[in-house]
Amino acid sequence: VVVVVVVVVVVGVVVVVVVVVVVVVVVVVVVVVVVVVVVVVVVVVIVVMRWEFWKAGFNILKKHWLLGVGTGDVAQAFSQSYDEIKSDLNPEYRLRAHNQYLTFAVALGMLGFIPILYFFFLWIKIRPKAQNRNYLAWVFLIISFLSMINEDTLETQAGVSFIVYFACLFLVLRITPPETIPIEEKAK
């Protein structure tokens, strides 16, 4: 009788453990699927919204390609452009270009955008060849230029602070890795 009770208890515990494990696995799988679906939906919405932002920006640029609309009229120009292209975005989601290069072009036209673009590439050009080993400066430049593709980086205080701080640190102060001096030369 004791053996039967022990077997029944062990089988019961095993069944409970298996059921708990199966429930946990099912819950984890469901949570992962829900998270993936939510992430995919959010990414699709973001991409579609950015497409609308850029369409409105290029619509403005087509009309004001030489001189732009001016820095003070960018918001109004975007508002009008969304109406002209008959954007499906709700008015509260009709934002600026979310592309710093496009925002510069819309605000300043090609006469203002080309010098700014030249200045960005001048950062790379003026760096002496001896400083090309400063990989952190290059990482900063790449991150800065890439961030401007999908965000108005220089239109926010955080973006301006980031760029100015690291530009001063790496480019103006010309901080480079310490030179290595061979041991024989130190002895002389």
Side-chain angles (χ1 to χ4, degrees), residues 71-142:
T71 56
D73 293 330
V74 173
Q76 180 183 358
F78 267 97
S79 178
Q80 290 173 353
S81 183
Y82 282 119
D83 292 336
E84 290 171 7
I85 65 172
K86 297 178 180 19
S87 175
D88 291 331
L89 288 177
N90 291 336
E92 64 266 16
Y93 298 117
R94 293 180 176 187
L95 305 174
R96 294 165 60 123
H98 278 279
N99 180 316
Q100 189 64 60
Y101 305 110
L102 184 55
T103 299
F104 279 146
V106 164
L108 305 172
M110 287 299 119
L111 288 179
F113 176 67
I114 291 171
I116 288 174
L117 197 60
Y118 175 75
F119 173 73
F120 286 158
F121 288 110
L122 188 64
W123 271 0
I124 296 170
K125 185 179 178 184
I126 64 173
R127 295 182 52 72
K129 294 190 184 299
Q131 289 187 352
N132 285 343
R133 297 179 311 218
N134 193 344
Y135 299 112
L136 289 178
W138 287 106
V139 168
F140 158 72
L141 287 173
I142 291 167

Side-chain angles (χ1 to χ4, degrees), residues 127 131 134 136-137 168-178:
R127 295 182 52 72
Q131 289 187 352
N134 193 344
L136 289 178
C168 288
L169 183 67
F170 291 123
L171 303 175
V172 175
L173 298 178
R174 308 236 187 230
I175 294 178
T176 58

